[in-house]
Amino acid sequence: MRDPFLQAAIDEAKLGLSEGGIPIGSVLVHQGKIIGRGHNMRVQQNNPLLHGEMSAFLNAGRLPASVYRECTLYTTLSPCPMCSGTSLLYKIPKIVIGENITFRGAEDWLKHEGVELVLAQDEECIAMMRQFIAANSGLWNEDIAE
């Protein structure tokens, strides 16, 4: 059975795809409760900063540092340097990654800084990104600054 928080991130990714965006979703979890959720909205909002993880942080709103230090970030795809940096800034101790086959972000940096990474290699996450990249290579390359 899939982790319900990873499923929530996948649901966010599907929502982004249905809106014409890039299918990457994320949720921020504190003490067993989702406090922020989001999906990549670069296309929908014309904003280069709105990756899935950044949207989840944005939707969580302003929180005390003590809350972030007790959170787990779930994301359908390995976090890029921008999203990893935000996680490090707020001292997120654990990140659950849906997959890193189609893109491997700043995992070495996160590990070096002591973040616990859990890699699910979820087949649905992998298939969703593979299909999207095959159909939208230009948009995908734009998202990862290629």
Side-chain angles (χ1 to χ4, degrees):
M1 184 169 162
R2 180 183 285 144
D3 181 307
F5 298 125
L6 181 56
Q7 183 61 58
I10 291 169
D11 293 344
E12 283 291 327
K14 289 177 180 178
L15 179 58
L17 184 61
S18 75
E19 295 171 349
I22 299 164
I24 303 167
S26 185
V27 295
L28 189 62
V29 177
H30 181 254
Q31 296 180 350
K33 180 181 174 207
I34 295 174
I35 61 170
R37 59 174 57 236
H39 52 274
N40 187 303
M41 294 191 298
R42 290 184 67 254
V43 173
Q44 301 92 311
Q45 298 289 324
N46 196 32
N47 185 327
L49 302 179
L50 286 180
H51 284 194
E53 300 90 338
M54 301 300 279
S55 291
F57 278 107
L58 179 66
N59 289 321
R62 183 177 165 201
L63 298 169
S66 60
V67 172
Y68 290 117
R69 290 185 192 124
E70 296 176 345
C71 284
T72 298
L73 180 67
Y74 288 77
T75 181
T76 58
L77 186 65
S78 182
C80 76
M82 175 178 66
C83 298
S84 295
T86 300
S87 297
L88 291 172
L89 175 68
Y90 289 107
K91 297 180 176 47
I92 302 297
K94 181 178 178 181
I95 300 175
V96 177
I97 300 168
E99 66 104 347
N100 70 355
I101 303 262
T102 61
F103 176 79
R104 189 172 192 280
E107 292 176 32
D108 292 339
W109 182 30
L110 290 164
K111 286 181 198 173
H112 180 265
E113 295 297 324
V115 177
E116 177 187 355
L117 300 182
V118 177
L119 187 56
Q121 295 302 33
D122 183 270
E123 289 300 323
E124 187 173 7
C125 291
I126 296 166
M128 188 166 32
M129 284 308 299
R130 280 186 172 154
Q131 290 168 6
F132 179 82
I133 292 167
N136 303 280
S137 61
L139 182 56
W140 172 241
N141 288 336
E142 176 188 318
D143 193 61
I144 58 171
E146 289 288 322

